[in-house]
Amino acid sequence: MRFSLFRHAPALAGTGQECSSTRLPSLEYPLDLPPRVAVLGLSVRQQQGIHIFPEWNSQNLNKLRPTTLAGWQQDLEQVGRLCDSGHLALSDLNYPLLVFSTPEQGPLGEVAQAEMWRWSGVPVYEQIRTREGRLVAVECDTRNGFHLAEGSQAEGGDAPCNCGRGVRWLPALAESTAATRSIESEQYMAAAAGD
Ligand SMILES: [Zn+2]
């Protein structure tokens, strides 16, 4: 059974490149890593092109001119508000955003993803991570739910996925997780499903 998801396998042991930070989670960007990736609110393994901002502000981002962003939902939503209000001008954004959600938050849902696409001008891929940053699941390339990261376990769908990358997991849509979902995400889901 394979849980591997994206186009390139994570660079794991044996590369000899990441001695000091091997205990940190890796970013697992779904494409070849573009230049000037700003990672907000999470310390990840150092790689060429990754700029880590455990704390960030608009000056950091205006100065870096990132080509993409990775960060927690609330951080990216704050970036969106700053862009909308004219405090940030991320004119070099050109690669899909990577948004992190905790298992408790659950997936963004289509409406929130579309909102991020609106202000950023680029698509969004989602990763489920624990608060410490450990990767739990990543969104399928084909938007067909999520795939569990290696070593992760969860209840939920186990149907094979169209993308050919192993088992599919649908965290937000599973009724068993409904109790832990926020009202906001319920609204997103309702809005996405309705109309
Ligand atoms: Zn898939």
Side-chain angles (χ1 to χ4, degrees):
M1 184 179 295
R2 298 190 314 141
F3 289 107
S4 170
L5 317 180
F6 284 128
R7 293 180 188 91
H8 61 90
L12 290 177
T15 64
Q17 290 175 345
E18 295 153 335
C19 302
S20 63
S21 64
T22 44
R23 288 194 187 133
L24 294 172
S26 62
L27 184 63
E28 308 290 339
Y29 192 74
L31 309 167
D32 288 338
L33 196 65
R36 303 197 306 284
V37 179
V39 181
L40 310 180
L42 178 67
S43 291
V44 297
R45 280 184 220 170
Q46 272 298 346
Q47 275 178 271
Q48 180 84 33
I50 290 184
H51 300 256
I52 300 165
F53 299 99
E55 307 282 337
W56 61 273
N57 57 42
S58 53
Q59 282 181 323
N60 301 146
L61 297 184
N62 279 327
K63 187 174 171 197
L64 177 64
R65 298 172 63 88
T67 62
T68 187
L69 304 167
W72 299 101
Q73 286 183 15
Q74 55 270 32
D75 285 296
L76 294 190
E77 286 166 0
Q78 177 65 9
V79 171
R81 285 190 286 272
L82 290 168
C83 287
D84 284 344
S85 65
H87 292 89
L88 261 178
L90 300 179
S91 53
D92 288 4
L93 282 187
N94 206 22
Y95 294 87
L97 304 187
L98 201 50
V99 59
F100 310 142
S101 308
T102 64
E104 295 75 26
Q105 284 178 312
L108 276 181
E110 290 178 23
V111 171
Q113 281 215 357
E115 168 62 11
M116 283 191 187
W117 198 336
R118 179 194 62 76
W119 62 256
S120 69
V122 293
V124 179
Y125 277 103
E126 188 163 7
Q127 295 180 341
I128 309 290
R129 289 180 182 266
T130 64
R131 293 201 182 277
E132 298 73 38
R134 187 176 63 78
L135 192 63
V136 175
V138 298
E139 187 173 7
C140 177
D141 288 8
T142 65
R143 309 282 189 194
N144 187 23
F146 287 75
H147 293 286
L148 291 176
E150 208 161 330
S152 292
Q153 295 185 332
E155 294 183 17
D158 58 358
C161 184
N162 298 341
C163 74
R165 292 185 180 90
V167 171
R168 182 167 76 122
W169 180 49
L170 298 172
L173 305 179
E175 286 184 4
S176 60
T177 64
T180 61
R181 284 164 52 190
S182 69
I183 290 170
E184 236 177 357
S185 74
E186 294 286 354
Q187 288 169 341
Y188 288 145
M189 292 308 300
D195 297 336

